[in-house]
Amino acid sequence: MTEDMLVENEINTSFEIDFSKLQGGGGKFIISPIGSDKVFCRESFSEDHRMFESAALEFAQKTIFPMREKLESHNKEASLEVFKQMGELGFLGVDTPEEFGGLGLDKTTACIVCDILSYGGSVSIMVTQAAHTGIASLPIIWYGTKTQKEKYLPKLASGEWMGCYALTEPAAGSDALSGQMKAKLSEDGKHYLLSGQKIYITNGGWSDVCVTFANVDGKYTGFIVDKDYPGWVAGEEEKKMGIKGSSTVTLFFEDCKVPLENMIGNVGQGSAIAFNVLYAGRYKLGVSAAAGAKICTNLSYDFANEREQFSRKIANFSMMKRKMSDMVVKCWEADSLNYMTSGSIDESIKDFDKTSPDYFEKVQKVIEDHAIEASLCKVVGSEALAFSVDEGVQIHGGAGYIEDYPICAMYRDERINRIFEGTNEINRLLIAGTALKKALLEDIPIRDSILSRATEWVPNDLFVDEDILTEAKVVEFCRSLNLYVFNLLITKYGQDLKNEQWVLEPYADVLISLSILDTTIKRYIQANDLKKTDMLPVLKLSVANQYQSMMLNAFDILACIDENSDFLKEQVTSLKYSPNKIGLKKNVYRDLDKYGKYYLD
Ligand SMILES: Cc1cc2nc3c(=O)[nH]c(=O)nc-3n(C[C@H](O)[C@H](O)[C@H](O)COP(=O)(O)OP(=O)(O)OC[C@H]3O[C@@H](n4cnc5c(N)ncnc54)[C@H](O)[C@@H]3O)c2cc1C
């Protein structure tokens, strides 16, 4: 596709989109209208998913919750004890193939574990678990040789060994592949000698094994390093703002002697290994962040219904209700995106032959294809949590600033989620940049979609219930709006769009809003009547919020690129959408109050 993709004079309203051109499921929310597909969501969970959910909840309540204070006070023994128990129950081996001691289950089950164990109330143990099962174990599962898998995976899955992933260096943070660590062949040709340092390494002080990356003759390459190899030196524990119970250290590699057979993948494959496992880390981070946001909503609701001022519970004040209804909506949006993503990945890989030698290569391709979704989960989840914790502290008033109340630690613990696994800025670049790449490579038939929506922004054939007809129109309007803005941006900048951060950031936010609109309305449509009743006010408020956010960003982008906005204004006028947001917020709070806790799981 070239820059002449602009369709100003190429109008063909009967244009049919060939959805078969969609490679995999990644990015399909951009073009797939309501009625053309289904989204996975927690209402789609199987019996097995539900059983895992119950087992995880029991562990969270009976084991993690009573230990949470120890787990948050950097108590290595307590952390290792709970970690080992997680291993015994299979919570560390969900992604690990059965032949190597794991359960070999789907991505949704792995997400359910992150989700439900979070209810144990220890963010630190969840950070430990997530780093171990995700970025530390996945490189070996996906890229390891049979010998490496046999040696490491059973011990990692059982919790006998803890793993870490060391990519960041003092001068290589967001620019992660610019690392300076070197690996040179020993004189006898049997070892690589690793020299350099990796900073801020989660689990680094407690780990038995580390997956790390170093330059072999200038080519970035992955290695598995055992703690007892000479030259592995762990630095002092960092004094952190939050997640104080987890281990974070600098790892020094001082001519660390790593056997040749511990290279992971091939020379020069390190960049792909390092980045591919981060995709999985991102959607799982979204899951645990959304769980945190729900916990925070419940804590805030309980507090607001106990605390009295002016002779009334503070929950009676509308400003408090407003905060809590906004929290509910953000939790629902993040939760919907998370399971849409895991389900879409599972759907794409479910028919792959697990015994085939290229099974994991195919799995990685599917996960890479969901790069936009992985970043969406990370950004939306972490920002839902940030919002909820901030408003939660405000609802607690002075108590929110006191350590006796769990919301206080949550406020500090939350902050890292917007920084690690790629900062939210880097993830916004990935969201918009990957959409651009998919459009240019025609992985998504963007050109056809732009053509089909050139004149008619809202299709006539929207077969939805009357009570969401307005919202369905708004969602399709927003889908067209995105295509319109995207087309203008590509026409103006072509491939250079990826370097235009002033417009790329608001454009990423346009895509974020569209993904939420698409996913939540499809989730609603699939739900049974009982769920629909609870979801309807939340959906309506979410649509109103995301529509407004999208309009602001679209007008900002148009102004920035000197594009006349008259056409867009005409479209807005013909949509005739003016939601009563305050009324919708009242309805959402009414339902929260009816259930007394977050109620859409
Ligand atoms: C508690 C903790 C645990 C961690 N665990 C691990 C771990 O287990 N393994 C590991 O390898 N690393 C780990 N990290 C490192 C983490 O991934 C990095 O801190 C993160 O990627 C950001 O890198 P940086 O700190 O160097 O910030 P920088 O890259 O210096 O970023 C500083 C600011 O500049 C912005 N910025 C940078 N580049 C761009 C750009 N191109 N466009 C726009 N803005 C940009 C960033 O968004 C950020 O706001 C951890 C960090 C912490 C604090």
Side-chain angles (χ1 to χ4, degrees):
M1 183 178 293
T2 60
E3 289 170 36
D4 66 5
M5 65 181 292
L6 186 65
V7 291
E8 260 175 355
N9 303 315
E10 226 183 310
I11 295 166
N12 177 356
T13 48
S14 63
F15 208 94
E16 288 293 321
I17 300 168
D18 181 3
F19 285 105
S20 68
K21 281 189 191 169
L22 268 174
Q23 315 283 321
K28 70 178 176 181
F29 68 89
I30 298 173
I31 59 159
S32 306
I34 295 166
S36 69
D37 65 343
K38 293 202 161 180
V39 294
F40 190 87
C41 51
R42 59 174 65 240
E43 291 75 47
S44 330
F45 283 1
S46 65
E47 276 300 304
D48 286 350
H49 290 144
R50 295 277 172 214
M51 271 166 53
F52 236 87
E53 201 179 26
S54 307
L57 188 60
E58 192 181 334
F59 187 75
Q61 288 170 337
K62 292 198 176 149
T63 306
I64 300 179
F65 192 74
M67 301 267 285
R68 69 194 184 287
E69 279 179 22
K70 284 186 184 163
L71 294 172
E72 291 305 325
S73 57
H74 201 74
N75 182 324
K76 182 178 172 185
E77 289 68 38
S79 299
L80 291 187
E81 186 189 323
V82 171
F83 181 78
K84 285 218 169 80
Q85 288 184 49
M86 282 183 182
E88 281 158 22
L89 290 170
F91 298 137
L92 302 179
V94 176
D95 286 297
T96 309
E98 281 176 280
E99 59 177 312
F100 302 112
L103 300 173
L105 296 173
D106 61 8
K107 304 299 161 212
T108 297
T109 307
C111 289
I112 289 172
V113 170
C114 292
D115 186 344
I116 304 300
L117 292 184
S118 304
Y119 287 87
S122 167
V123 179
S124 296
I125 196 71
M126 291 314 297
V127 169
T128 302
Q129 187 265 0
H132 172 86
T133 57
I135 50 184
S137 300
L138 286 178
I140 306 174
I141 297 172
W142 288 353
Y143 297 92
T145 61
K146 190 159 185 288
T147 316
Q148 289 169 347
K149 289 182 189 193
E150 280 168 350
K151 175 175 174 189
Y152 293 102
L153 293 182
K155 291 197 163 88
L156 290 171
S158 68
E160 188 181 338
W161 282 357
M162 187 182 281
C164 66
Y165 164 95
L167 179 66
T168 306
E169 294 187 15
S174 297
D175 187 9
L177 301 183
S178 64
Q180 297 299 307
M181 190 151 100
K182 292 206 169 24
K184 74 170 194 268
L185 210 51
S186 62
E187 279 178 8
D188 61 7
K190 289 185 180 158
H191 293 88
Y192 276 103
L193 301 175
L194 267 53
S195 57
Q197 56 174 293
K198 300 284 178 179
I199 60 170
Y200 309 146
I201 305 309
T202 302
N203 296 350
W206 301 343
S207 280
D208 304 280
V209 186
C210 173
V211 171
T212 192
F213 303 88
N215 288 290
V216 177
D217 299 327
K219 293 180 186 144
Y220 223 36
T221 305
F223 294 92
I224 311 171
V225 186
D226 291 15
K227 189 183 178 179
D228 54 17
Y229 291 162
W232 160 311
V233 180
E236 291 290 303
E237 285 292 338
E238 300 288 356
K239 294 186 173 53
K240 302 189 292 278
M241 178 194 289
I243 54 168
K244 289 175 184 282
S246 68
S247 166
T248 312
V249 300
T250 295
L251 286 180
F252 299 92
F253 297 95
E254 299 174 347
D255 278 337
C256 182
K257 242 176 130 181
V258 180
L260 284 196
E261 60 270 21
N262 273 40
M263 180 187 291
I264 186 157
N266 303 317
V267 172
Q269 211 186 348
S271 313
I273 299 172
F275 274 9
N276 281 348
V277 296
L278 283 174
Y279 297 129
R282 286 178 185 140
Y283 62 75
K284 285 191 189 170
L285 185 149
V287 170
S288 47
K294 291 177 205 171
I295 293 167
C296 183
T297 306
N298 294 344
L299 288 171
S300 302
Y301 177 84
D302 291 345
F303 183 87
N305 279 284
E306 273 169 32
R307 173 76 176 158
E308 293 194 0
Q309 286 294 282
F310 301 97
S311 311
R312 326 165 61 181
K313 288 177 179 157
I314 61 164
N316 286 321
F317 299 119
S318 303
M319 287 192 203
M320 299 292 108
K321 293 180 185 176
R322 196 278 301 155
K323 292 180 195 302
M324 288 182 266
S325 65
D326 283 343
M327 287 154 88
V328 169
V329 173
K330 285 185 187 289
C331 292
W332 191 62
E333 292 174 343
D335 184 73
S336 302
L337 281 185
N338 291 334
Y339 286 107
M340 174 275 285
T341 300
S342 72
S344 179
I345 294 171
D346 286 334
E347 178 61 27
S348 302
I349 64 182
K350 72 177 189 325
D351 295 327
F352 293 171
D353 175 6
K354 284 190 178 176
T355 60
S356 160
D358 64 352
Y359 173 72
F360 285 112
E361 202 179 312
K362 286 165 134 180
V363 170
Q364 285 154 43
K365 286 221 166 69
V366 168
I367 292 181
E368 193 180 349
D369 180 54
H370 287 78
I372 300 179
E373 283 78 2
S375 291
L376 287 168
C377 293
K378 200 269 176 182
V379 171
V380 174
S382 62
E383 293 179 5
L385 176 58
F387 175 88
S388 304
V389 165
D390 190 59
E391 291 288 44
V393 167
Q394 198 65 19
I395 290 169
H396 281 69
Y401 213 73
I402 304 297
E403 291 287 352
D404 291 347
Y405 293 83
I407 196 87
C408 180
M410 286 184 83
Y411 186 82
R412 288 193 309 269
D413 293 342
E414 164 278 316
R415 194 63 187 84
I416 189 60
N417 289 301
R418 287 176 278 158
I419 295 172
F420 61 13
E421 303 278 354
T423 64
N424 283 17
E425 289 78 18
I426 294 297
N427 276 285
R428 280 189 162 82
L429 291 179
L430 283 169
I431 290 168
T434 310
L436 175 67
K437 194 167 137 200
K438 279 181 178 277
L440 296 177
L441 295 175
E442 300 209 50
D443 282 351
I444 307 175
I446 295 273
R447 183 174 192 275
D448 296 354
S449 302
I450 292 170
L451 283 167
S452 77
R453 295 289 178 103
T455 52
E456 195 184 53
W457 273 32
V458 180
N460 286 321
D461 52 349
L462 279 175
F463 301 110
V464 295
D465 291 347
E466 191 58 34
D467 51 6
I468 58 155
L469 186 56
T470 301
E471 283 68 30
K473 284 182 181 168
V474 173
V475 172
E476 292 310 327
F477 176 94
C478 288
R479 203 180 316 276
S480 301
L481 171 63
N482 169 57
L483 292 168
Y484 172 72
V485 173
F486 199 19
N487 192 27
L488 291 174
L489 286 171
I490 295 179
T491 304
K492 180 154 176 87
Y493 296 111
Q495 290 198 27
D496 289 341
L497 175 58
K498 61 180 182 301
N499 303 317
E500 297 290 333
Q501 293 195 2
W502 284 112
V503 289
L504 211 61
E505 184 178 33
Y507 182 61
D509 285 334
V510 165
L511 284 171
I512 289 170
S513 290
L514 178 63
S515 69
I516 293 171
L517 288 164
D518 179 79
T519 306
T520 53
I521 199 160
K522 287 174 181 169
R523 179 177 176 184
Y524 172 86
I525 289 168
Q526 292 164 206
N528 65 33
D529 287 347
L530 203 64
K531 281 263 178 181
K532 275 189 170 137
T533 309
D534 288 339
M535 285 180 182
L536 189 61
V538 183
L539 173 73
K540 283 181 182 271
L541 183 51
S542 171
V543 169
N545 287 340
Q546 297 306 332
Y547 167 79
Q548 285 180 347
S549 162
M550 230 167 140
M551 295 311 303
L552 278 176
N553 284 312
F555 278 111
D556 279 354
I557 292 170
L558 262 57
C560 176
I561 62 173
D562 287 330
E563 182 69 31
N564 187 319
S565 58
D566 288 350
F567 174 72
L568 180 53
K569 283 179 189 151
E570 276 169 34
Q571 297 292 331
V572 172
T573 308
S574 62
L575 182 67
K576 296 193 193 85
Y577 176 58
S578 49
N580 169 8
K581 275 183 49 172
I582 293 176
L584 293 172
K585 288 180 189 200
K586 287 182 188 174
N587 291 345
V588 172
Y589 185 77
R590 176 202 62 206
D591 289 348
L592 177 66
D593 198 32
K594 183 169 92 186
Y595 287 99
K597 60 177 187 169
Y598 179 80
Y599 53 95
L600 295 165
D601 275 353

